[in-house]
């Protein structure tokens, strides 16, 4: 019944059904396929009886976009967060409600980019997915930069990388191994190798500024060169990520399609978009605006939540924020691991970590450069060491192309130890911002001299 209702002509703005061909499905990323596990089919029989065309299209879009996910129960957190901010409720409540509201929005952005990709083709769809895949992290980082909270930017982005490499991948391998004890789990090493190489390049670009800053020389001799080295490294990472997109979407697309073809099989021989192109575009813009509003609330209230709950800002930013903000994507990766489809789980975890490390982090450095803010790639010794060990452990875990639950357990235990480290760390964000402000003043003084 639901499948027939999806093919009603009034669902599409141009009046024509547009089938998602095999070639167009190649524009779907593992992020989309992972998030699709949390979607549910909408029964549009009742909506189809509405006589007014415009109202019928609006109700159909509302049902597909708002109610077409298993996370729709979290949507009320969005107006509650806005009301709590307007009427001056407790700041920790604003922070908690904003985090809950970001969870379904991240999944819906993935859904909308996939819908738009049905009309634009695989290449543009892939580029759109690459841009919007981690929109939440990027928007939060930009708002934090605008308020000169550089430490919060570094914490949140580092937390996203660590959670993808250790928590998401570890949970996926562990659950997949437990659910498939009697079957050997295999995955395509080629994608894992490419992502591991890019992550090691990102680690080098993070490690050198940290070593340079702490080389023992006086701050006036290291601050400015560290900033310059960070900006140069960021440009290199952006160029490498651009080459990676060319590699993924054009020259070696078959490496990223093999698993998808085996996934689709007879289940998805024909797929149709459920909303029109312009409807999807308008919804995507609207969702992005709402994400921006909630991200601003998160940035403004995280210190109050830290004081109220007795948790450090570093713990909230590195551990709690990535877990809640990307819960939909993470849950999808674990669901596919249960089904012995590790290529999708690995694509989600490694792809997201690579995108943040090679695109979002260097982009924030470049944006801060444009804004006149001196953000560098020195994430401090503890944070950089955690990142280095996480990348190295993950690379060793994925080197043989097979998996079992013990690999996942080790990754999870690594994440627990790192989480405990930041839990006991009580460095307040204000102190970190004071340090960054002092470094910026030193940089400005050296540059002016």
């Amino acid at each position: 019944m639901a499948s027939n209702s999806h093919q009603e002509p009034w669902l599409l703005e141009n009046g024509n059904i547009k089938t998602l061909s095999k070639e167009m499905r190649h524009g779907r990323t593992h992020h989309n396929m992972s998030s699709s596990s949390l979607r549910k089919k909408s029964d549009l029989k009742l909506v189809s009886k509405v006589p007014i065309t415009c109202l019928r299209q609006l109700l159909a879009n509302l049902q597909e976009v708002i109610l077409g996910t298993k996370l729709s129960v979290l949507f009320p957190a969005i107006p509650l967060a806005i009301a709590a901010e307007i009427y001056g409720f407790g700041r920790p409540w604003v922070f908690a409600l904003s985090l809950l509201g970001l969870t379904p929005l991240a999944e819906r952005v993935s859904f909308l980019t996939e819908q738009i990709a049905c009309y634009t083709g695989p290449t543009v769809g892939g580029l759109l997915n690459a841009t919007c895949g981690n929109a939440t992290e990027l928007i939060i980082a930009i708002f934090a930069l605008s308020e000169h909270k550089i430490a919060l930017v570094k914490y949140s982005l580092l937390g996203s990388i660590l959670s993808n490499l250790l928590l998401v991948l570890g949970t996926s391998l562990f659950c997949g191994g437990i659910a498939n004890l009697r079957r050997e789990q295999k995955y395509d090493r080629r994608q894992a190798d490419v992502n591991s190489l890019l992550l090691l390049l990102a680690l080098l670009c993070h490690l050198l500024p940290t070593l340079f800053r702490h080389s023992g020389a006086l701050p006036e001799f290291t601050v400015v060169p560290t900033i310059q080295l960070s900006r140069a490294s960021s440009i290199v990472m952006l160029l490498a990520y651009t080459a990676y997109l060319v590699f993924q979407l054009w020259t070696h697309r078959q490496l990223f399609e093999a698993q998808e073809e085996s996934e689709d099989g007879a289940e998805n021989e024909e797929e149709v978009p459920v909303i029109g192109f312009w409807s999807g575009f308008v919804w995507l813009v609207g969702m992005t605006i709402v994400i921006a509003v909630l991200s601003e609330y998160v940035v403004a209230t995280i210190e109050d939540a830290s004081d109220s709950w007795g948790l450090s800002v570093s713990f909230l930013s590195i551990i709690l924020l990535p877990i809640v903000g990307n819960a939909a994507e993470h849950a999808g990766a674990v669901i596919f691991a249960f089904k012995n489809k590790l290529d999708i789980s690995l694509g989600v975890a490694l792809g997201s970590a690579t995108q943040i490390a090679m695109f979002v982090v260097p982009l924030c450095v470049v944006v801060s450069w444009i804004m006149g803010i001196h953000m560098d790639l020195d994430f401090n010794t503890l944070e950089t060491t955690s990142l280095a060990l996480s990348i190295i452990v993950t690379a060793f875990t994925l080197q043989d192309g097979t998996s079992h639950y013990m690999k996942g357990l080790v990754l999870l235990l690594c994440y627990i130890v790192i989480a405990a480290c930041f839990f006991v760390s009580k460095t307040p964000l204000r102190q970190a911002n004071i340090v960054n402000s002092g470094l910026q003043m030193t940089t400005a003084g050296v540059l002016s001299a």
Side-chain angles (χ1 to χ4, degrees):
M1 289 292 184
S3 60
N4 293 334
S5 64
H6 282 176
Q7 297 187 19
E8 294 292 333
W10 50 265
L11 281 177
L12 302 184
E13 293 167 338
N14 57 7
N16 298 318
I17 294 295
K18 186 180 178 77
T19 301
L20 184 58
S21 64
K22 177 182 176 182
E23 174 68 17
M24 287 186 176
R25 282 199 303 271
H26 293 164
R28 299 176 69 189
T29 65
H30 291 115
H31 294 267
N32 296 119
M33 300 181 70
S34 173
S35 297
S36 66
S37 62
L38 295 175
R39 296 171 194 165
K40 57 183 181 181
K41 294 183 179 180
S42 301
D43 188 358
L44 299 171
K45 290 186 295 183
L46 183 61
V47 176
S48 64
K49 298 178 182 179
V50 176
I52 304 175
T53 304
C54 295
L55 181 60
R56 187 169 61 234
Q57 290 181 356
L58 176 61
L59 292 176
N61 284 338
L62 284 173
Q63 185 163 347
E64 292 289 355
V65 176
I66 303 299
L67 301 179
T69 173
K70 298 175 183 178
L71 299 174
S72 58
V73 67
L74 295 179
F75 273 114
I78 299 174
L80 289 176
I82 297 175
E85 173 67 18
I86 293 176
Y87 293 104
F89 291 173
R91 305 290 281 173
W93 281 104
V94 177
F95 176 79
L97 291 171
S98 299
L99 274 186
L100 290 177
L102 287 172
T103 302
L105 289 174
E107 189 275 332
R108 291 288 84 185
V109 167
S110 175
F111 164 75
L112 291 170
T113 54
E114 183 178 350
Q115 293 294 303
I116 294 175
C118 295
Y119 300 94
T120 59
T123 301
V124 177
L127 291 173
L128 189 61
N129 290 324
T131 305
C132 300
N134 293 98
T136 303
E137 290 89 343
L138 181 58
I139 293 174
I140 290 177
I142 291 176
F143 273 107
L145 278 177
S146 66
E147 297 187 15
H148 295 266
K149 296 182 178 180
I150 299 176
L152 178 58
V153 176
K154 295 179 178 180
Y155 287 155
S156 62
L157 296 180
L158 173 67
S160 295
I161 298 174
L162 295 180
S163 67
N164 278 289
L165 292 181
L166 300 180
L167 178 63
V168 180
L169 186 58
T171 306
S172 298
L173 297 183
F174 179 77
C175 294
I178 294 296
N180 300 275
L181 279 175
R182 300 184 182 276
R183 288 188 292 177
E184 183 180 21
Q185 290 192 292
K186 295 183 178 180
Y187 52 86
D188 190 348
R189 281 184 52 192
R190 296 175 293 179
Q191 292 188 51
D193 289 344
V194 173
N195 284 288
S196 296
L197 284 173
L198 290 173
L199 287 171
L200 288 172
L201 173 60
L203 175 59
L204 177 66
C205 294
H206 283 79
L207 192 59
L208 290 180
T210 303
L211 295 176
F212 193 87
R213 172 72 62 81
H214 301 283
S215 60
L218 295 175
E220 54 264 27
F221 298 113
T222 59
V223 172
V224 175
T226 301
I227 295 289
Q228 295 171 341
L229 177 59
S230 298
R231 291 169 178 172
S233 299
S234 298
I235 294 174
V236 169
M237 284 193 286
L238 290 175
L239 291 176
Y241 187 75
T242 302
Y244 169 67
L245 291 181
V246 174
F247 180 86
Q248 180 183 16
L249 299 176
W250 282 284
T251 61
H252 289 69
R253 183 188 292 176
Q254 69 278 4
L255 298 183
F256 300 87
E257 291 174 357
Q259 299 79 19
E260 197 169 327
E261 290 172 7
S262 64
E263 290 305 320
D264 292 341
E267 294 181 8
N268 298 320
E269 291 183 1
E270 273 197 6
E271 297 180 25
V272 294
V274 295
I275 60 176
F277 172 80
W278 288 110
S279 292
F281 181 79
V282 171
W283 276 106
L284 183 60
V285 172
M287 292 282 185
T288 305
I289 293 174
V290 177
I291 289 175
V293 172
L294 296 184
S295 299
E296 185 177 9
Y297 292 168
V298 168
V299 172
T301 58
I302 188 170
E303 294 178 68
D304 297 306
S306 173
D307 295 336
S308 176
W309 298 343
L311 300 173
S312 65
V313 174
S314 61
F315 180 81
L316 292 178
S317 304
I318 296 176
I319 305 302
L320 183 62
L321 189 58
I323 291 177
V324 179
N326 292 318
E329 185 179 275
H330 297 175
V334 175
I335 290 173
F336 276 108
F338 269 113
K339 299 177 181 178
N340 199 21
K341 299 175 180 179
L342 283 185
D343 287 303
I344 297 179
S345 300
L346 265 65
V348 171
L350 295 179
S352 183
T354 301
Q355 187 178 55
I356 294 170
M358 296 295 295
F359 176 68
V360 179
V361 172
L363 183 62
C364 287
V365 174
V366 173
V367 170
S368 67
W369 187 6
I370 296 172
M371 297 170 63
I373 300 172
H374 302 296
M375 176 181 172
D376 56 26
L377 294 176
D378 176 16
F379 279 37
N380 296 325
T381 305
L382 176 61
E383 289 80 357
T384 305
T385 303
S386 300
L387 175 64
L389 294 177
S390 300
I391 293 175
I392 293 172
V393 170
T394 302
F396 273 105
T397 301
L398 302 176
Q399 63 182 345
D400 63 349
T402 62
S403 176
H404 45 74
Y405 72 88
M406 194 62 196
K407 290 185 176 182
L409 179 61
V410 171
L411 293 179
L412 283 174
L413 293 177
C414 290
Y415 188 76
I416 291 174
V417 172
I418 292 176
C421 176
F422 289 107
F423 179 80
V424 301
S425 174
K426 298 297 182 181
T427 302
L429 183 63
R430 296 181 184 89
Q431 179 178 336
N433 288 328
I434 291 172
V435 172
N436 282 311
S437 299
L439 292 175
Q440 291 197 53
M441 293 177 62
T442 302
T443 304
V446 173
L447 290 176
S448 60

